[in-house]
Amino acid sequence: MPTVTEERPPQALAEELRGLAHVDWPAVWAGPPNPGQALDDWCALFGWRPITVERVLRVRTSTGQDLTLEPLVSGGWSPVRSVTFTVRHLNADTQDENDLVLEQTAEAWPAYEAAAREVLGAPEFSGAWDDPAFPEPPDDRHWLPSRDFRLGRRDPYRMAVWSAKDPEGPVTVLTAKSGGVTRRGVGKRGVMINVHCYPQDAL
């Protein structure tokens, strides 16, 4: 059977999204200071605690969720491109389980999307990798994958998108990200249900 390496219940996702609703997003996008007391104080503003400061900053929230602050430019901390966390991670133990991983993710997905809807309301888009209405990236630097990549790899397998009413708030993206298998079907599939928060001007 596929192995679950991480699984937080859907209500934990809702709780985390409620906490993020009160974050000072312009301060987050501007990025953290260097490690030390200044970083500790900066994280405390959001109720976070730094847990990893190598390459990218990872923090732990008051609910026990780990967030990753991805920088816009590799090797630097500021500005921040996205805030990301994982609520479920399922891996195939053999290649024969690759389709089963997708099936089990499809079964779990509605509960996570419903939890996000509970906090964020109806999404602007919600659909599968092959949905004709799936949004396309405006350029090759955008966080949305290219159409060829998405259709060739079924990644993201599912996606839902919400934009905050406040223009300084985030675009929140719930994805079931499928990986570990090449276009030729070689490899063992893993699927993570992630949340990504992007600045709205990243659209």
Side-chain angles (χ1 to χ4, degrees):
M1 289 293 290
T3 300
V4 177
T5 57
E6 184 167 0
E7 188 167 32
R8 290 176 66 85
Q11 282 307 308
L13 167 60
E15 184 179 5
E16 204 60 50
L17 291 173
R18 288 191 189 96
L20 290 175
H22 303 291
V23 163
D24 180 353
W25 285 105
V28 171
W29 304 139
N34 290 326
Q37 189 60 50
L39 175 62
D40 293 346
D41 293 343
W42 185 86
C43 288
L45 294 173
F46 315 114
W48 302 342
R49 179 173 56 84
I51 54 174
T52 302
V53 296
E54 296 175 1
R55 298 184 62 184
V56 298
L57 175 62
R58 292 180 64 234
V59 301
R60 184 155 295 149
T61 70
S62 59
T63 67
Q65 179 68 61
D66 292 354
L67 311 181
T68 301
L69 280 67
E70 298 283 353
L72 186 63
V73 179
S74 179
W77 279 22
S78 304
V80 169
R81 178 179 185 265
S82 67
V83 175
T84 303
F85 62 95
T86 300
V87 292
R88 190 172 192 268
H89 192 179
L90 184 67
N91 290 301
D93 289 333
T94 67
Q95 289 191 46
D96 291 341
E97 295 178 347
N98 282 346
D99 287 341
L100 182 58
V101 167
L102 293 176
E103 291 168 10
Q104 291 186 0
T105 299
E107 291 170 1
W109 174 264
Y112 286 99
E113 183 176 328
R117 284 174 178 259
E118 179 183 314
V119 179
L120 303 174
E124 300 160 32
F125 169 80
S126 174
W129 61 278
D130 56 352
D131 190 319
F134 202 101
E136 304 293 346
D139 57 60
D140 59 7
R141 298 182 307 277
H142 199 271
W143 53 264
L144 281 165
S146 70
R147 184 175 188 274
D148 287 346
F149 181 92
R150 170 171 52 85
L151 295 178
R153 301 188 182 231
R154 292 188 281 182
D155 184 22
Y157 189 61
R158 295 282 190 277
M159 186 175 81
V161 181
W162 295 262
S163 291
K165 293 179 182 178
D166 179 351
E168 294 185 328
V171 175
T172 302
V173 185
L174 182 68
T175 62
K177 183 168 177 56
S178 172
V181 176
T182 69
R183 286 177 178 265
R184 293 176 299 166
V186 177
K188 293 185 288 186
R189 187 179 302 282
V191 181
M192 294 187 294
I193 297 182
N194 292 334
V195 173
H196 307 264
C197 296
Y198 299 98
Q200 290 196 46
D201 59 12
L203 286 172

